[in-house]
Amino acid sequence: MTTLSNSFRLACLPLAVVSLFLPSHAGAHGVHFDGLELDDVVVEDEIDAIHTLGGITSSQGVLGQKRLANQNPARSSDVLEAVPGLNVTQHSGGGKANQYFLRGFSLDHGTDLSVNFLGAPLNLVGHAHGQGYADSNMIIPELLSRVEYRKGPYFAQDGDFSTAGSLNLDYVNELKRGLASVSIGEFGYRRGLLANSFKFNDDQTSLLYAFELTDNNGPWDIKENQYKHNMLLKLNHRIDSSKKLELNYSGYESRWTSTDHIPVDAVAQGVVGRFGSLDSSAGGFTQRHALSGNFTAVWDQSITQVRAYVADYKLDLYSDFTYGLRDNAPLGRPGVLSDQFNQFDSRTTYGGGVTHTVFENLSFVQSQLALGVDYRIDDVKPAGLYESIARQRLATRNEDSFEQRNLGLFVSQQVLPLSWVKLTGGLRYDQFDVDLNGQFDADENVATPNVLRSGSRKDTLLSPKFSASFTPFEHNTELFFSVGRGFHSNDPRGLFTAAPVDSLVKTRGVEAGVKTTNDAKNLSASATLFQLKSNSELVFVGDAGTTEPNGATQRNGLELIASYFNRSGFEVDGFITLVDARFVNVADNGIPNAIEESAAVSIGQTLGDFKLGYKLKYIGSAPLVEDRSIKSDSVINSDLFVNYKVNNDLSLNFSIFNLFDRDNSDIQYAQDYFLAGNQAFGKTFHPALPRHVRLTANWLF
């Protein structure tokens, strides 16, 4: 297990004191951000779930609207940090997918963390920028009703990209009152949100709608000029007392200029400032328009859920991370220093599934049996990588059109043989079929023709799961043990090369934990020991257009979560995660960007019409190369906010982000680059936002 640094001890001291007593009521952390009264949003707290007899691990939970309303996100996706142990960051403009870190995994843009939004998956297979790419920038935090999180490969309903965990996000069905919100802040930040709902058809049907516009320049020397617009429609129809239908439309578009990560030496030598850019034309455009639906029927002793979705997606991204290593003479640009490349992805993703859950309450045992099927198709036309300069394509590195089909079948049986014992067994079957046609630059010479490639492939995998939980004590304490197998798929394009990779990488997990709460249910804590193994960290590297095979890995970790609140308006919660992450059977065993220490604590106090909130986050140093000779700098960040309820209609929020103006980094790498006429290797970084303030006015109508 890793050793705590001094800065880590200081960052965690408030939480360490509290965690002597506390809980993780669903494990959330954070404080109120939007100034809304909780009663102003209608939420259905009891939502049908596959495991209705209760959780099967100490590391899963459901964050309800009350918990999520306590977040104060600087960026919309930051609200996901309500999930204990999850760190979310951004390194290349506000329109690009976030990067995620959980349980010692550097998840890139979603490789081992599956994200479902309004019933449709966000992770994209064979994405032009990287496998599992999951853009969550369309989230409207004020409308979230629940985030269900599960960690580890122990859940039969979770398939691809779920080894570290899975997230399921949903919005409220209706608002009691409409919401008009306006935010202004430093660096040209402006945001407007209009949301409301109404009922019709004798109140059997409700329609929620929302429109969001955001402009932002950021602190960058080259203005980000981000423009994002977002639209939501959510129709909820109760057919009768036992059946309901939900339809969702989500439309999101964004364009931006990005400041990519730059060499630390470039700043030290005065070549560029901390917020400077070495390629002023980097940036991109993205869009996602999705329809999804869910039908639920409750029978005498069972529940049936039917899901369907279709999503149209595009990304046109221009990046430059090395700034002059490429010889541009063959591209007709001799003497031009640029390594810019363009990644383009256009696809339609559609699919659905059915889950049928049967309950039996016999005299001698309680039982729950869930049977399910999922089917997904990704129709990609194309995913491509191109050489470019100043957003002008000059050559094709690879360009592939493919269709991947994923069939998933699962069964989960849960029984309570004794009142204090719960056993859950599961089995999942996955089948992947890929048909691909494309081209690639085999010799990296633009003067020679690209090589054509095509083919078909079929792969299957069985993933067994087992969990047991025990409540042997009279007070509210539960013990857990889980073991299971999972997987993540590799980029389909990596299957049709001279050295093809495995299509499906097997993973294994085991964990033991404990959850406890007091009788008043306002104090809770959990502790989880876990181990996660992966046969290989094979990942298609979208930035380079190649697949890089890495060795087997193992992660051993401890996760502590705690929370407390009382009737006087005080609340505190947080987490500590410690992980030993390494490649196995090799001397240089550091996993680049695998965070081994992280923690967060949030404190809030309500005083009449005022609420004060403070959040402290710590991210420890991580190796950037396998021999651990280069490491990232640790991050300590503090945010502060004040909410003031002017009257029943108007509330104000004043936020200070990065309160102590620390020179933190959103991300750091070790890589080759070109600087001051020479090729070099060293640390690069993307700076986090400096201290900045933001004012938000919320009007209920």
Side-chain angles (χ1 to χ4, degrees), residues 27-30 63 68 71 73 75-89 99-101 147 167 573 575 600 602 615 617 619 637 639:
H29 68 278
L63 307 177
L68 295 169
Q71 295 300 299
R75 295 172 291 220
S76 60
S77 295
D78 290 352
V79 72
L80 298 179
E81 291 191 338
V83 176
L86 177 63
N87 291 294
V88 180
T89 188
Q99 289 183 283
Y100 310 95
F101 300 85
V147 174
L167 306 178
D573 54 73
F575 73 88
S602 296
K615 177 179 178 181
K617 180 171 76 170
I619 299 175
N637 183 73
D639 296 332

PDB file of all heavy atoms in Angstrom, residues 27-30 63 68 71 73 75-89 99-101 147 167 573 575 600 602 615 617 619 637 639:
ATOM      1  N   GLY A  27     -22.780   7.505  -0.297  1.00  0.00           N
ATOM      2  CA  GLY A  27     -21.419   7.914  -0.563  1.00  0.00           C
ATOM      3  C   GLY A  27     -21.239   9.247  -1.219  1.00  0.00           C
ATOM      4  O   GLY A  27     -20.205   9.523  -1.759  1.00  0.00           O
ATOM      5  N   ALA A  28     -22.206  10.160  -1.193  1.00  0.00           N
ATOM      6  CA  ALA A  28     -22.046  11.424  -1.883  1.00  0.00           C
ATOM      7  C   ALA A  28     -21.162  12.361  -1.093  1.00  0.00           C
ATOM      8  O   ALA A  28     -20.975  12.227   0.091  1.00  0.00           O
ATOM      9  CB  ALA A  28     -23.400  12.058  -2.101  1.00  0.00           C
ATOM     10  N   HIS A  29     -20.610  13.347  -1.779  1.00  0.00           N
ATOM     11  CA  HIS A  29     -19.966  14.435  -1.085  1.00  0.00           C
ATOM     12  C   HIS A  29     -20.217  15.708  -1.860  1.00  0.00           C
ATOM     13  O   HIS A  29     -20.451  15.707  -3.038  1.00  0.00           O
ATOM     14  CB  HIS A  29     -18.464  14.183  -0.927  1.00  0.00           C
ATOM     15  CG  HIS A  29     -17.712  14.213  -2.209  1.00  0.00           C
ATOM     16  ND1 HIS A  29     -17.652  13.134  -3.048  1.00  0.00           N
ATOM     17  CD2 HIS A  29     -17.010  15.199  -2.805  1.00  0.00           C
ATOM     18  CE1 HIS A  29     -16.933  13.446  -4.102  1.00  0.00           C
ATOM     19  NE2 HIS A  29     -16.523  14.687  -3.984  1.00  0.00           N
ATOM     20  N   GLY A  30     -20.172  16.841  -1.147  1.00  0.00           N
ATOM     21  CA  GLY A  30     -20.383  18.115  -1.827  1.00  0.00           C
ATOM     22  C   GLY A  30     -21.416  18.940  -1.116  1.00  0.00           C
ATOM     23  O   GLY A  30     -22.049  18.506  -0.173  1.00  0.00           O
ATOM     24  N   LEU A  63     -27.203   8.301  -5.688  1.00  0.00           N
ATOM     25  CA  LEU A  63     -27.204   9.691  -5.259  1.00  0.00           C
ATOM     26  C   LEU A  63     -28.510  10.322  -5.721  1.00  0.00           C
ATOM     27  O   LEU A  63     -28.745  10.456  -6.924  1.00  0.00           O
ATOM     28  CB  LEU A  63     -26.017  10.442  -5.863  1.00  0.00           C
ATOM     29  CG  LEU A  63     -24.633   9.813  -5.636  1.00  0.00           C
ATOM     30  CD1 LEU A  63     -23.569  10.610  -6.354  1.00  0.00           C
ATOM     31  CD2 LEU A  63     -24.329   9.709  -4.160  1.00  0.00           C
ATOM     32  N   LEU A  68     -27.301  15.485  -5.058  1.00  0.00           N
ATOM     33  CA  LEU A  68     -26.723  16.095  -6.249  1.00  0.00           C
ATOM     34  C   LEU A  68     -26.870  17.612  -6.228  1.00  0.00           C
ATOM     35  O   LEU A  68     -26.035  18.335  -6.774  1.00  0.00           O
ATOM     36  CB  LEU A  68     -27.383  15.509  -7.495  1.00  0.00           C
ATOM     37  CG  LEU A  68     -27.100  14.020  -7.707  1.00  0.00           C
ATOM     38  CD1 LEU A  68     -28.006  13.462  -8.796  1.00  0.00           C
ATOM     39  CD2 LEU A  68     -25.647  13.793  -8.070  1.00  0.00           C
ATOM     40  N   GLN A  71     -23.868  19.835  -4.984  1.00  0.00           N
ATOM     41  CA  GLN A  71     -22.640  20.056  -5.735  1.00  0.00           C
ATOM     42  C   GLN A  71     -22.578  21.502  -6.226  1.00  0.00           C
ATOM     43  O   GLN A  71     -23.592  22.171  -6.398  1.00  0.00           O
ATOM     44  CB  GLN A  71     -22.563  19.094  -6.921  1.00  0.00           C
ATOM     45  CG  GLN A  71     -22.450  17.645  -6.537  1.00  0.00           C
ATOM     46  CD  GLN A  71     -21.211  17.364  -5.715  1.00  0.00           C
ATOM     47  OE1 GLN A  71     -20.092  17.572  -6.161  1.00  0.00           O
ATOM     48  NE2 GLN A  71     -21.401  16.892  -4.489  1.00  0.00           N
ATOM     49  N   PRO A  73     -20.572  22.716  -9.256  1.00  0.00           N
ATOM     50  CA  PRO A  73     -19.605  22.398 -10.314  1.00  0.00           C
ATOM     51  C   PRO A  73     -19.150  23.617 -11.096  1.00  0.00           C
ATOM     52  O   PRO A  73     -19.955  24.448 -11.522  1.00  0.00           O
ATOM     53  CB  PRO A  73     -20.386  21.436 -11.219  1.00  0.00           C
ATOM     54  CG  PRO A  73     -21.812  21.838 -11.033  1.00  0.00           C
ATOM     55  CD  PRO A  73     -21.937  22.272  -9.603  1.00  0.00           C
ATOM     56  N   ARG A  75     -17.578  23.131 -13.957  1.00  0.00           N
ATOM     57  CA  ARG A  75     -17.972  22.626 -15.275  1.00  0.00           C
ATOM     58  C   ARG A  75     -19.079  21.610 -15.066  1.00  0.00           C
ATOM     59  O   ARG A  75     -19.115  20.922 -14.039  1.00  0.00           O
ATOM     60  CB  ARG A  75     -16.768  21.973 -15.981  1.00  0.00           C
ATOM     61  CG  ARG A  75     -15.651  22.946 -16.301  1.00  0.00           C
ATOM     62  CD  ARG A  75     -14.408  22.260 -16.819  1.00  0.00           C
ATOM     63  NE  ARG A  75     -13.717  21.471 -15.816  1.00  0.00           N
ATOM     64  CZ  ARG A  75     -12.395  21.418 -15.687  1.00  0.00           C
ATOM     65  NH1 ARG A  75     -11.617  22.113 -16.477  1.00  0.00           N
ATOM     66  NH2 ARG A  75     -11.841  20.653 -14.763  1.00  0.00           N
ATOM     67  N   SER A  76     -19.966  21.479 -16.021  1.00  0.00           N
ATOM     68  CA  SER A  76     -21.166  20.668 -15.808  1.00  0.00           C
ATOM     69  C   SER A  76     -20.830  19.235 -15.416  1.00  0.00           C
ATOM     70  O   SER A  76     -21.462  18.651 -14.534  1.00  0.00           O
ATOM     71  CB  SER A  76     -22.054  20.691 -17.056  1.00  0.00           C
ATOM     72  OG  SER A  76     -21.365  20.171 -18.185  1.00  0.00           O
ATOM     73  N   SER A  77     -19.817  18.637 -16.034  1.00  0.00           N
ATOM     74  CA  SER A  77     -19.478  17.244 -15.740  1.00  0.00           C
ATOM     75  C   SER A  77     -18.853  17.078 -14.366  1.00  0.00           C
ATOM     76  O   SER A  77     -18.775  15.955 -13.851  1.00  0.00           O
ATOM     77  CB  SER A  77     -18.534  16.684 -16.811  1.00  0.00           C
ATOM     78  OG  SER A  77     -19.171  16.620 -18.067  1.00  0.00           O
ATOM     79  N   ASP A  78     -18.413  18.171 -13.760  1.00  0.00           N
ATOM     80  CA  ASP A  78     -17.833  18.066 -12.417  1.00  0.00           C
ATOM     81  C   ASP A  78     -18.847  17.566 -11.401  1.00  0.00           C
ATOM     82  O   ASP A  78     -18.465  17.088 -10.322  1.00  0.00           O
ATOM     83  CB  ASP A  78     -17.301  19.427 -11.965  1.00  0.00           C
ATOM     84  CG  ASP A  78     -16.059  19.859 -12.724  1.00  0.00           C
ATOM     85  OD1 ASP A  78     -15.518  19.038 -13.491  1.00  0.00           O
ATOM     86  OD2 ASP A  78     -15.631  21.021 -12.560  1.00  0.00           O
ATOM     87  N   VAL A  79     -20.139  17.666 -11.713  1.00  0.00           N
ATOM     88  CA  VAL A  79     -21.154  17.160 -10.786  1.00  0.00           C
ATOM     89  C   VAL A  79     -20.989  15.662 -10.547  1.00  0.00           C
ATOM     90  O   VAL A  79     -21.403  15.139  -9.512  1.00  0.00           O
ATOM     91  CB  VAL A  79     -22.568  17.489 -11.320  1.00  0.00           C
ATOM     92  CG1 VAL A  79     -22.911  16.617 -12.521  1.00  0.00           C
ATOM     93  CG2 VAL A  79     -23.622  17.333 -10.228  1.00  0.00           C
ATOM     94  N   LEU A  80     -20.343  14.962 -11.480  1.00  0.00           N
ATOM     95  CA  LEU A  80     -20.125  13.526 -11.311  1.00  0.00           C
ATOM     96  C   LEU A  80     -19.156  13.225 -10.178  1.00  0.00           C
ATOM     97  O   LEU A  80     -19.083  12.081  -9.710  1.00  0.00           O
ATOM     98  CB  LEU A  80     -19.618  12.913 -12.620  1.00  0.00           C
ATOM     99  CG  LEU A  80     -20.566  13.017 -13.817  1.00  0.00           C
ATOM    100  CD1 LEU A  80     -19.936  12.390 -15.053  1.00  0.00           C
ATOM    101  CD2 LEU A  80     -21.909  12.375 -13.507  1.00  0.00           C
ATOM    102  N   GLU A  81     -18.412  14.222  -9.716  1.00  0.00           N
ATOM    103  CA  GLU A  81     -17.537  14.009  -8.571  1.00  0.00           C
ATOM    104  C   GLU A  81     -18.324  13.828  -7.284  1.00  0.00           C
ATOM    105  O   GLU A  81     -17.733  13.593  -6.224  1.00  0.00           O
ATOM    106  CB  GLU A  81     -16.539  15.153  -8.449  1.00  0.00           C
ATOM    107  CG  GLU A  81     -15.502  15.154  -9.571  1.00  0.00           C
ATOM    108  CD  GLU A  81     -14.361  16.116  -9.312  1.00  0.00           C
ATOM    109  OE1 GLU A  81     -14.538  17.065  -8.515  1.00  0.00           O
ATOM    110  OE2 GLU A  81     -13.280  15.922  -9.899  1.00  0.00           O
ATOM    111  N   ALA A  82     -19.652  13.915  -7.352  1.00  0.00           N
ATOM    112  CA  ALA A  82     -20.473  13.486  -6.219  1.00  0.00           C
ATOM    113  C   ALA A  82     -20.284  12.003  -5.942  1.00  0.00           C
ATOM    114  O   ALA A  82     -20.483  11.548  -4.812  1.00  0.00           O
ATOM    115  CB  ALA A  82     -21.950  13.787  -6.503  1.00  0.00           C
ATOM    116  N   VAL A  83     -19.898  11.237  -6.960  1.00  0.00           N
ATOM    117  CA  VAL A  83     -19.588   9.818  -6.767  1.00  0.00           C
ATOM    118  C   VAL A  83     -18.276   9.712  -5.996  1.00  0.00           C
ATOM    119  O   VAL A  83     -17.235  10.189  -6.471  1.00  0.00           O
ATOM    120  CB  VAL A  83     -19.468   9.088  -8.116  1.00  0.00           C
ATOM    121  CG1 VAL A  83     -19.038   7.639  -7.921  1.00  0.00           C
ATOM    122  CG2 VAL A  83     -20.778   9.166  -8.877  1.00  0.00           C
ATOM    123  N   PRO A  84     -18.272   9.131  -4.813  1.00  0.00           N
ATOM    124  CA  PRO A  84     -17.054   9.103  -4.002  1.00  0.00           C
ATOM    125  C   PRO A  84     -15.924   8.346  -4.694  1.00  0.00           C
ATOM    126  O   PRO A  84     -16.108   7.240  -5.182  1.00  0.00           O
ATOM    127  CB  PRO A  84     -17.498   8.396  -2.723  1.00  0.00           C
ATOM    128  CG  PRO A  84     -18.728   7.641  -3.100  1.00  0.00           C
ATOM    129  CD  PRO A  84     -19.395   8.440  -4.161  1.00  0.00           C
ATOM    130  N   GLY A  85     -14.764   8.998  -4.745  1.00  0.00           N
ATOM    131  CA  GLY A  85     -13.593   8.386  -5.358  1.00  0.00           C
ATOM    132  C   GLY A  85     -13.401   8.721  -6.813  1.00  0.00           C
ATOM    133  O   GLY A  85     -12.334   8.440  -7.366  1.00  0.00           O
ATOM    134  N   LEU A  86     -14.391   9.322  -7.462  1.00  0.00           N
ATOM    135  CA  LEU A  86     -14.292   9.645  -8.888  1.00  0.00           C
ATOM    136  C   LEU A  86     -13.734  11.057  -9.056  1.00  0.00           C
ATOM    137  O   LEU A  86     -14.261  12.016  -8.488  1.00  0.00           O
ATOM    138  CB  LEU A  86     -15.657   9.538  -9.554  1.00  0.00           C
ATOM    139  CG  LEU A  86     -15.717   9.913 -11.050  1.00  0.00           C
ATOM    140  CD1 LEU A  86     -14.853   8.963 -11.878  1.00  0.00           C
ATOM    141  CD2 LEU A  86     -17.160   9.893 -11.550  1.00  0.00           C
ATOM    142  N   ASN A  87     -12.675  11.185  -9.844  1.00  0.00           N
ATOM    143  CA  ASN A  87     -12.107  12.486 -10.194  1.00  0.00           C
ATOM    144  C   ASN A  87     -12.337  12.748 -11.676  1.00  0.00           C
ATOM    145  O   ASN A  87     -12.115  11.864 -12.516  1.00  0.00           O
ATOM    146  CB  ASN A  87     -10.609  12.528  -9.884  1.00  0.00           C
ATOM    147  CG  ASN A  87     -10.333  12.497  -8.396  1.00  0.00           C
ATOM    148  OD1 ASN A  87     -10.674  13.421  -7.674  1.00  0.00           O
ATOM    149  ND2 ASN A  87      -9.716  11.407  -7.927  1.00  0.00           N
ATOM    150  N   VAL A  88     -12.785  13.959 -11.972  1.00  0.00           N
ATOM    151  CA  VAL A  88     -13.134  14.352 -13.337  1.00  0.00           C
ATOM    152  C   VAL A  88     -12.314  15.577 -13.709  1.00  0.00           C
ATOM    153  O   VAL A  88     -12.246  16.548 -12.938  1.00  0.00           O
ATOM    154  CB  VAL A  88     -14.638  14.671 -13.454  1.00  0.00           C
ATOM    155  CG1 VAL A  88     -14.991  15.071 -14.884  1.00  0.00           C
ATOM    156  CG2 VAL A  88     -15.478  13.474 -13.008  1.00  0.00           C
ATOM    157  N   THR A  89     -11.679  15.552 -14.879  1.00  0.00           N
ATOM    158  CA  THR A  89     -10.869  16.691 -15.285  1.00  0.00           C
ATOM    159  C   THR A  89     -11.018  16.923 -16.783  1.00  0.00           C
ATOM    160  O   THR A  89     -11.730  16.199 -17.477  1.00  0.00           O
ATOM    161  CB  THR A  89      -9.391  16.473 -14.905  1.00  0.00           C
ATOM    162  OG1 THR A  89      -8.659  17.677 -15.139  1.00  0.00           O
ATOM    163  CG2 THR A  89      -8.781  15.340 -15.710  1.00  0.00           C
ATOM    164  N   GLN A  99     -11.752  13.629 -18.785  1.00  0.00           N
ATOM    165  CA  GLN A  99     -10.973  12.457 -18.409  1.00  0.00           C
ATOM    166  C   GLN A  99     -11.384  12.053 -17.001  1.00  0.00           C
ATOM    167  O   GLN A  99     -11.671  12.902 -16.157  1.00  0.00           O
ATOM    168  CB  GLN A  99      -9.481  12.754 -18.486  1.00  0.00           C
ATOM    169  CG  GLN A  99      -8.999  12.895 -19.924  1.00  0.00           C
ATOM    170  CD  GLN A  99      -7.505  13.118 -20.002  1.00  0.00           C
ATOM    171  OE1 GLN A  99      -7.021  14.199 -19.755  1.00  0.00           O
ATOM    172  NE2 GLN A  99      -6.772  12.074 -20.366  1.00  0.00           N
ATOM    173  N   TYR A 100     -11.410  10.745 -16.764  1.00  0.00           N
ATOM    174  CA  TYR A 100     -11.945  10.199 -15.522  1.00  0.00           C
ATOM    175  C   TYR A 100     -10.882   9.352 -14.829  1.00  0.00           C
ATOM    176  O   TYR A 100     -10.098   8.648 -15.487  1.00  0.00           O
ATOM    177  CB  TYR A 100     -13.185   9.337 -15.803  1.00  0.00           C
ATOM    178  CG  TYR A 100     -14.227  10.005 -16.667  1.00  0.00           C
ATOM    179  CD1 TYR A 100     -14.253   9.792 -18.044  1.00  0.00           C
ATOM    180  CD2 TYR A 100     -15.188  10.838 -16.114  1.00  0.00           C
ATOM    181  CE1 TYR A 100     -15.217  10.400 -18.844  1.00  0.00           C
ATOM    182  CE2 TYR A 100     -16.158  11.448 -16.906  1.00  0.00           C
ATOM    183  CZ  TYR A 100     -16.159  11.223 -18.269  1.00  0.00           C
ATOM    184  OH  TYR A 100     -17.111  11.826 -19.061  1.00  0.00           O
ATOM    185  N   PHE A 101     -10.881   9.396 -13.489  1.00  0.00           N
ATOM    186  CA  PHE A 101      -9.942   8.631 -12.683  1.00  0.00           C
ATOM    187  C   PHE A 101     -10.716   7.997 -11.529  1.00  0.00           C
ATOM    188  O   PHE A 101     -11.414   8.692 -10.786  1.00  0.00           O
ATOM    189  CB  PHE A 101      -8.835   9.536 -12.136  1.00  0.00           C
ATOM    190  CG  PHE A 101      -8.030  10.228 -13.201  1.00  0.00           C
ATOM    191  CD1 PHE A 101      -8.467  11.426 -13.743  1.00  0.00           C
ATOM    192  CD2 PHE A 101      -6.853   9.677 -13.668  1.00  0.00           C
ATOM    193  CE1 PHE A 101      -7.737  12.071 -14.725  1.00  0.00           C
ATOM    194  CE2 PHE A 101      -6.116  10.310 -14.655  1.00  0.00           C
ATOM    195  CZ  PHE A 101      -6.563  11.512 -15.189  1.00  0.00           C
ATOM    196  N   VAL A 147     -28.015   9.659  -9.674  1.00  0.00           N
ATOM    197  CA  VAL A 147     -26.847   9.031 -10.279  1.00  0.00           C
ATOM    198  C   VAL A 147     -26.649   7.717  -9.548  1.00  0.00           C
ATOM    199  O   VAL A 147     -26.325   7.696  -8.357  1.00  0.00           O
ATOM    200  CB  VAL A 147     -25.587   9.905 -10.174  1.00  0.00           C
ATOM    201  CG1 VAL A 147     -24.370   9.137 -10.688  1.00  0.00           C
ATOM    202  CG2 VAL A 147     -25.755  11.206 -10.950  1.00  0.00           C
ATOM    203  N   LEU A 167     -21.901   4.238 -14.265  1.00  0.00           N
ATOM    204  CA  LEU A 167     -22.766   5.336 -13.840  1.00  0.00           C
ATOM    205  C   LEU A 167     -24.026   5.319 -14.681  1.00  0.00           C
ATOM    206  O   LEU A 167     -23.972   5.138 -15.899  1.00  0.00           O
ATOM    207  CB  LEU A 167     -22.068   6.691 -14.013  1.00  0.00           C
ATOM    208  CG  LEU A 167     -20.703   6.894 -13.368  1.00  0.00           C
ATOM    209  CD1 LEU A 167     -20.169   8.284 -13.706  1.00  0.00           C
ATOM    210  CD2 LEU A 167     -20.776   6.693 -11.866  1.00  0.00           C
ATOM    211  N   ASP A 573     -19.177  15.598   4.485  1.00  0.00           N
ATOM    212  CA  ASP A 573     -18.957  14.262   3.941  1.00  0.00           C
ATOM    213  C   ASP A 573     -17.713  14.248   3.088  1.00  0.00           C
ATOM    214  O   ASP A 573     -17.173  15.297   2.722  1.00  0.00           O
ATOM    215  CB  ASP A 573     -20.179  13.759   3.157  1.00  0.00           C
ATOM    216  CG  ASP A 573     -20.618  14.719   2.087  1.00  0.00           C
ATOM    217  OD1 ASP A 573     -19.935  14.833   1.062  1.00  0.00           O
ATOM    218  OD2 ASP A 573     -21.671  15.370   2.284  1.00  0.00           O
ATOM    219  N   PHE A 575     -14.358  11.375   1.245  1.00  0.00           N
ATOM    220  CA  PHE A 575     -13.810  10.045   0.996  1.00  0.00           C
ATOM    221  C   PHE A 575     -12.289  10.109   1.015  1.00  0.00           C
ATOM    222  O   PHE A 575     -11.670  11.169   0.845  1.00  0.00           O
ATOM    223  CB  PHE A 575     -14.283   9.488  -0.354  1.00  0.00           C
ATOM    224  CG  PHE A 575     -13.613  10.152  -1.541  1.00  0.00           C
ATOM    225  CD1 PHE A 575     -12.405   9.672  -2.043  1.00  0.00           C
ATOM    226  CD2 PHE A 575     -14.189  11.255  -2.154  1.00  0.00           C
ATOM    227  CE1 PHE A 575     -11.783  10.291  -3.117  1.00  0.00           C
ATOM    228  CE2 PHE A 575     -13.579  11.880  -3.227  1.00  0.00           C
ATOM    229  CZ  PHE A 575     -12.370  11.400  -3.715  1.00  0.00           C
ATOM    230  N   ALA A 600     -11.386  13.870  -0.719  1.00  0.00           N
ATOM    231  CA  ALA A 600     -12.186  15.091  -0.798  1.00  0.00           C
ATOM    232  C   ALA A 600     -13.029  15.197   0.455  1.00  0.00           C
ATOM    233  O   ALA A 600     -13.440  14.184   1.036  1.00  0.00           O
ATOM    234  CB  ALA A 600     -13.077  15.099  -2.044  1.00  0.00           C
ATOM    235  N   SER A 602     -16.265  17.885   2.007  1.00  0.00           N
ATOM    236  CA  SER A 602     -17.155  19.016   1.774  1.00  0.00           C
ATOM    237  C   SER A 602     -17.877  19.344   3.069  1.00  0.00           C
ATOM    238  O   SER A 602     -18.320  18.449   3.790  1.00  0.00           O
ATOM    239  CB  SER A 602     -18.174  18.687   0.679  1.00  0.00           C
ATOM    240  OG  SER A 602     -17.520  18.466  -0.549  1.00  0.00           O
ATOM    241  N   LYS A 615     -15.438  23.103  -0.267  1.00  0.00           N
ATOM    242  CA  LYS A 615     -15.005  21.782  -0.724  1.00  0.00           C
ATOM    243  C   LYS A 615     -13.498  21.780  -0.907  1.00  0.00           C
ATOM    244  O   LYS A 615     -12.928  22.673  -1.541  1.00  0.00           O
ATOM    245  CB  LYS A 615     -15.688  21.404  -2.038  1.00  0.00           C
ATOM    246  CG  LYS A 615     -15.226  20.056  -2.600  1.00  0.00           C
ATOM    247  CD  LYS A 615     -15.936  19.708  -3.891  1.00  0.00           C
ATOM    248  CE  LYS A 615     -15.431  18.392  -4.461  1.00  0.00           C
ATOM    249  NZ  LYS A 615     -16.097  18.032  -5.730  1.00  0.00           N
ATOM    250  N   LYS A 617     -10.348  19.279  -2.261  1.00  0.00           N
ATOM    251  CA  LYS A 617     -10.047  18.068  -3.030  1.00  0.00           C
ATOM    252  C   LYS A 617      -8.540  17.885  -3.121  1.00  0.00           C
ATOM    253  O   LYS A 617      -7.798  18.843  -3.367  1.00  0.00           O
ATOM    254  CB  LYS A 617     -10.647  18.161  -4.432  1.00  0.00           C
ATOM    255  CG  LYS A 617     -10.368  16.935  -5.296  1.00  0.00           C
ATOM    256  CD  LYS A 617     -11.155  16.967  -6.611  1.00  0.00           C
ATOM    257  CE  LYS A 617     -10.565  17.912  -7.614  1.00  0.00           C
ATOM    258  NZ  LYS A 617     -11.178  17.763  -8.956  1.00  0.00           N
ATOM    259  N   ILE A 619      -5.554  15.303  -4.926  1.00  0.00           N
ATOM    260  CA  ILE A 619      -5.161  14.248  -5.866  1.00  0.00           C
ATOM    261  C   ILE A 619      -3.658  14.081  -5.744  1.00  0.00           C
ATOM    262  O   ILE A 619      -2.896  15.038  -5.952  1.00  0.00           O
ATOM    263  CB  ILE A 619      -5.552  14.594  -7.313  1.00  0.00           C
ATOM    264  CG1 ILE A 619      -7.066  14.766  -7.431  1.00  0.00           C
ATOM    265  CG2 ILE A 619      -5.065  13.512  -8.270  1.00  0.00           C
ATOM    266  CD1 ILE A 619      -7.519  15.227  -8.795  1.00  0.00           C
ATOM    267  N   ASN A 637      -7.085  21.524  -4.209  1.00  0.00           N
ATOM    268  CA  ASN A 637      -7.970  22.586  -4.699  1.00  0.00           C
ATOM    269  C   ASN A 637      -9.093  22.840  -3.699  1.00  0.00           C
ATOM    270  O   ASN A 637      -9.637  21.908  -3.100  1.00  0.00           O
ATOM    271  CB  ASN A 637      -8.586  22.206  -6.044  1.00  0.00           C
ATOM    272  CG  ASN A 637      -9.443  23.321  -6.604  1.00  0.00           C
ATOM    273  OD1 ASN A 637      -8.932  24.337  -7.066  1.00  0.00           O
ATOM    274  ND2 ASN A 637     -10.753  23.154  -6.558  1.00  0.00           N
ATOM    275  N   ASP A 639     -12.800  25.128  -3.155  1.00  0.00           N
ATOM    276  CA  ASP A 639     -13.874  25.955  -3.697  1.00  0.00           C
ATOM    277  C   ASP A 639     -14.753  26.442  -2.550  1.00  0.00           C
ATOM    278  O   ASP A 639     -14.977  25.715  -1.570  1.00  0.00           O
ATOM    279  CB  ASP A 639     -14.741  25.165  -4.688  1.00  0.00           C
ATOM    280  CG  ASP A 639     -13.963  24.720  -5.914  1.00  0.00           C
ATOM    281  OD1 ASP A 639     -12.993  25.396  -6.284  1.00  0.00           O
ATOM    282  OD2 ASP A 639     -14.332  23.681  -6.499  1.00  0.00           O
TER     283      ASP A 639
END
